[in-house]
Amino acid sequence: MNGLSVTVLGCSGSYAAPGESCSGYLVRSATTALWVDCGPGTFANLQHYVELKEVDALIVSHHHPDHCAELPVVYNAAKYYMGIQSMRVLATQGVREVTDVHGDSSDLFGWETISDTSCANVGDIDVLFSRTDHPVETMAMRFDSGGKSIVYTSDTGRGWALSALSRDAGRPEPDLVVGEGTLLAATDDPAIPHLSAAWLAADANDVGARRLVVTHVPPGSKPEDHLAEAGDVFSGEVAVARTGATFWA
């Protein structure tokens, strides 16, 4: 692979629609593979693209189960079936705590705690984190490699903006934003800690993003409606996430 890409392993918001999976993404450069968020169903989908031993790090944004619940399954698969000795895991403290409810995982997972403004390097990808506006500690993240960039919002309300991972952090505009657009105009409510597709699109315009992918669409909501509302606002290329799709920075 050349360049920087993201493949959707799951994109249902809060719980999985029939035949779908919750949040999960495979971010890849020419030499590095990152599994970003591991909601239910994403481990099965990951294996269509890479073997678990080929994943250079797991990065988990927060401890809501639709973003992290595969971790105990990954532990069992890696340790007892795949002969993997260690895995690098970058996650909030809450993610580690809910994972270790099932038993101490530190004999396999090399935990690295992430927090607001944390930075990390995995292979040839630099990662910058920013705490979002969500009921639990949640990290949006920016991936930079080879002059290309992808920003993933994870879950957030209106109290956070993409500028935290671009101009406020001294970084250029992102090439690609993968952002939650959970709500529509008919369901938008500032009290709900999620964004509408239109709000996301306006924020992506504000930071000069070149391309936008709307994700975290909840079951029962039509993806084409989220795409249409984002498309009415966003000035660049816009798509809606679907499992198996790959988008390039």
Side-chain angles (χ1 to χ4, degrees):
M1 294 188 64
N2 295 309
L4 187 65
S5 69
V6 56
T7 298
V8 181
L9 306 177
C11 52
S12 281
S14 299
Y15 70 100
E20 294 293 341
S21 301
C22 292
S23 294
Y25 306 88
L26 177 63
V27 174
R28 286 188 285 184
S29 67
T31 62
T32 304
L34 308 178
W35 183 2
V36 178
D37 278 351
C38 50
T42 57
F43 186 20
N45 292 335
L46 174 82
Q47 295 170 82
H48 289 301
Y49 306 99
V50 295
E51 295 183 45
L52 186 60
K53 66 182 180 181
E54 298 174 315
V55 173
D56 295 288
L58 282 75
I59 305 180
V60 188
S61 64
H62 66 296
H63 66 268
H64 282 160
D66 59 317
H67 290 256
C68 77
E70 290 277 49
L71 275 171
V73 179
V74 172
Y75 175 91
N76 287 340
K79 185 174 179 66
Y80 300 114
Y81 291 89
M82 297 179 176
I84 297 172
Q85 300 300 310
S86 64
M87 297 190 69
R88 187 177 179 187
V89 182
L90 289 71
T92 63
Q93 181 62 32
V95 171
R96 180 171 185 176
E97 290 173 359
V98 300
T99 301
D100 282 352
V101 166
H102 302 276
D104 182 10
S105 62
S106 62
D107 58 339
L108 174 72
F109 291 154
W111 290 100
E112 300 175 32
T113 302
I114 57 175
S115 57
D116 190 38
T117 72
S118 290
C119 298
N121 175 262
V122 185
D124 64 352
I125 301 178
D126 294 321
V127 191
L128 174 64
F129 300 94
S130 176
R131 182 168 183 171
T132 73
D133 174 25
H134 205 51
V136 302
E137 185 181 27
T138 303
M139 296 299 140
M141 51 199 82
R142 175 180 174 130
F143 308 94
D144 285 279
S145 182
K148 296 294 185 179
S149 60
I150 297 172
V151 171
Y152 167 53
T153 68
S154 187
D155 290 359
T156 185
R158 297 183 181 187
W160 180 86
L162 289 163
S163 58
L165 289 172
S166 52
R167 59 173 176 266
D168 293 350
R171 302 288 181 100
E173 60 274 7
D175 294 293
L176 172 65
V177 170
V178 180
E180 73 124 298
T182 307
L183 306 174
L184 294 167
T187 56
D188 195 10
D189 182 346
I192 298 174
H194 288 287
L195 299 180
S196 70
W199 185 281
L200 169 69
D203 194 24
N205 278 339
D206 181 62
V207 296
R210 294 176 176 86
R211 286 177 289 281
L212 174 64
V213 175
V214 180
T215 192
H216 207 265
V217 174
S221 193
K222 295 179 180 178
E224 58 268 28
D225 292 341
H226 296 253
L227 176 62
E229 291 197 5
D232 286 342
V233 176
F234 188 60
S235 58
E237 299 176 23
V238 61
V240 67
R242 57 180 177 81
T243 300
T246 297
F247 301 95
W248 294 84

